Amino acid sequence: MQPPQTASDPDTPVPGVTGSLPDGSVVDIHVSTEPGGVRRVASISPADEASFRRPGWLDLRGHVLLPPAAEPHAHLDKALSWSELSPPTGDLVDAIATWRAGSVRLDAESFRTRALRATSAMLRNGITAVRTHADILTHDDPLRAVRTLVEVRDSLRGLMDIQVTVLASPLTPTRHIEAALDAGADLLGGAPHIADDPRAELTRLLDLAEARELGVDLHVDEFLDGDHLTIEAFADRVADWPSERIRTAGHCCRLDTLPGPDLQRVAGALARAGVSVIALPVTNLYLQGRHGASAGRRGITPIGVLRDHGVRVAGGADNIRDPFNPVGRADPLETAALLITAAHQEPAIALSLVTGEARAVLGLEPAGPVVGARADLLAVRGTDLVDVIAAAPADRVVVVNGRPVAHTETTHWTTFPEITLPASPVPFLVGMER
């Protein structure tokens, strides 16, 4: 089956979609176009066979219709570099050392090719918005990763919303951070907890963000055992920022090993300051808990406690097959499954953490099968929410602004006793050539 429309076909939106909501109801989702070309969900009604006959209508019976996913914490400059760098298995310190040494060999074309491969896989799997960190490198031409990801962001505009966050290390000269921001990055980031003086590094980064009136997305307290805690100082510093300015903390592993009263205090401070937290199960499961007093602990930030205090939490995948994590499928359903099994989240909550909550952390408007929302959808073949998270089939259709932009359909056979299968659904696009 050929794709119904291409990403370069913006003037042929679908009039609507038929499929199942997570509660099992089969519905028609009607799409309208606003002035300016934004397409929204106009209405949702019980499925009517007359809809299927309309030219261009998407018939996705047999698929569950979900909001589009967002990846709130990616490293597209590092993505898919495992095979190029051949890193040893290790913890965060080992991964950082491998990346700093190996990135010397990676040119702009490597960054571009791997970033486009990763974003293509993300879109195919239903991710329509990404916030990526971009390292300021420690050798000649330190901005080449930043420049390349800015180019990728611009080339995918209208198809995928990408935000580029400068990732400064404590060794990065301030002039290089400023140059990276001048090169077109959207946000300022860093990792104060790995500095010799974490408070001083936090102050340096936040001073610069305030001077430029920029939002920040910091790697925060990515460790389990230690006597310093930067997240509380972060919350205190940004508590008076304008409400619309982004302030995000990624990882926050140390919160998982804080004593209960301390955790309650920090969670309250984060809520009052409007700091969003991003849980990153796959990479933190891989890197954390290898050594020290907390060996065996897994380092996923305490999502339930944070949410109970009113902190906005999202779930992300972090690394995709690079020195920080040898696995990862660029699949939001992989992250959702880990949030269920490793972080003890209910399936509906886990799904929200990689869809609506992740979009909110990125500052994006709601999207998905809700009246008034932007007409972006992720349709996954399956029967209900648990089925699609558990099986994570590749069979998916992705809709961005009312038009299909990705379609994956698989075939299979197996030697097995004959069973009666339900009839195949009608072609998923009616009224257009296949």
Side-chain angles (χ1 to χ4, degrees), residues 370-413:
V370 177
V371 173
R374 179 182 161 98
D376 293 8
L377 296 166
L378 166 58
V380 186
R381 185 172 293 281
T383 58
D384 55 37
L385 181 60
V386 172
D387 180 44
V388 299
I389 294 176
D395 302 72
R396 306 180 194 190
V397 176
V398 182
V399 175
V400 171
N401 200 29
R403 60 191 176 100
V405 298
H407 168 222
T408 303
E409 185 176 41
T410 62
T411 59
H412 69 271
W413 68 269

Side-chain angles (χ1 to χ4, degrees), residues 102-170:
S103 59
V104 175
R105 308 194 302 270
L106 304 177
D107 59 14
E109 186 58 31
S110 171
F111 286 120
R112 181 178 299 103
T113 299
R114 289 180 292 99
L116 289 172
R117 285 177 57 202
T119 49
S120 175
M122 288 174 170
L123 185 64
R124 196 163 56 243
N125 286 329
I127 294 171
T128 64
V130 178
R131 180 182 294 166
T132 179
H133 297 265
D135 277 36
I136 300 177
L137 304 172
T138 57
H139 34 77
D140 292 346
D141 194 10
L143 301 187
R144 66 181 183 279
V146 174
R147 288 196 309 269
T148 302
L149 293 192
V150 166
E151 292 171 6
V152 169
R153 176 198 67 192
D154 294 346
S155 71
L156 296 180
R157 200 179 301 278
L159 184 63
M160 176 179 281
D161 290 309
I162 297 179
Q163 299 171 0
V164 177
T165 302
V166 170
L167 181 52
S169 87

Side-chain angles (χ1 to χ4, degrees), residues 140-223:
D140 292 346
D141 194 10
L143 301 187
R144 66 181 183 279
V146 174
R147 288 196 309 269
T148 302
L149 293 192
V150 166
E151 292 171 6
V152 169
R153 176 198 67 192
D154 294 346
S155 71
L156 296 180
R157 200 179 301 278
L159 184 63
M160 176 179 281
D161 290 309
I162 297 179
Q163 299 171 0
V164 177
T165 302
V166 170
L167 181 52
S169 87
L171 303 176
T172 304
T174 300
R175 69 181 186 281
H176 288 176
I177 303 175
E178 293 176 324
L181 295 172
D182 292 340
D186 302 289
L187 299 165
L188 177 58
H193 61 279
I194 65 173
D196 292 336
D197 186 341
R199 290 295 185 94
E201 177 65 1
L202 179 68
T203 298
R204 178 175 78 125
L205 295 173
L206 296 182
D207 282 350
L208 183 53
E210 288 177 347
R212 291 190 171 235
E213 299 183 341
L214 276 180
V216 297
D217 187 331
L218 300 179
H219 289 57
V220 178
D221 299 334
E222 193 179 352
F223 59 91

Side-chain angles (χ1 to χ4, degrees), residues 1-6 57-61 63 381 395-398 404 406-411 424-434:
M1 182 183 295
Q2 295 297 314
Q5 300 172 47
T6 69
W57 191 274
L58 282 177
D59 186 351
L60 295 175
R61 286 175 291 176
H63 292 70
R381 185 172 293 281
D395 302 72
R396 306 180 194 190
V397 176
V398 182
H407 168 222
T408 303
E409 185 176 41
T410 62
T411 59
S424 298
V426 296
F428 86 96
L429 186 67
V430 177
M432 300 184 71
E433 288 188 7
R434 296 170 53 210

Side-chain angles (χ1 to χ4, degrees), residues 16-35:
V17 179
T18 299
S20 297
L21 297 178
D23 65 6
S25 58
V26 183
V27 298
D28 290 340
I29 295 179
H30 298 263
V31 176
S32 63
T33 304
E34 292 184 342

Side-chain angles (χ1 to χ4, degrees), residues 12-98:
T12 52
V14 298
V17 179
T18 299
S20 297
L21 297 178
D23 65 6
S25 58
V26 183
V27 298
D28 290 340
I29 295 179
H30 298 263
V31 176
S32 63
T33 304
E34 292 184 342
V38 176
R39 293 163 189 135
R40 298 193 181 279
V41 175
S43 64
I44 301 176
S45 59
D48 181 347
E49 191 168 343
S51 299
F52 312 153
R53 303 192 186 99
R54 296 181 62 183
W57 191 274
L58 282 177
D59 186 351
L60 295 175
R61 286 175 291 176
H63 292 70
V64 179
L65 303 178
L66 305 172
E71 176 49 69
H73 187 114
H75 290 268
L76 294 177
D77 54 346
K78 299 179 176 74
L80 306 173
S81 63
W82 177 275
S83 59
E84 288 188 60
L85 302 181
S86 301
T89 298
D91 60 10
L92 179 62
V93 173
D94 298 323
I96 291 172
T98 297

Side-chain angles (χ1 to χ4, degrees), residues 89-96 193-194 219-226 250-257 279-301 318-319 323-326:
T89 298
D91 60 10
L92 179 62
V93 173
D94 298 323
I96 291 172
H193 61 279
I194 65 173
H219 289 57
V220 178
D221 299 334
E222 193 179 352
F223 59 91
L224 297 180
D225 301 306
H251 295 286
C252 305
C253 305
R254 180 68 174 99
L255 295 184
D256 186 51
T257 54
L280 301 161
V282 62
T283 294
N284 288 145
L285 287 169
Y286 176 72
L287 291 176
Q288 298 298 319
R290 290 179 178 271
H291 315 292
S294 295
R297 295 288 291 266
R298 307 319 303 273
I300 302 174
T301 199
D318 201 356
N319 303 90
F324 295 76
N325 173 21

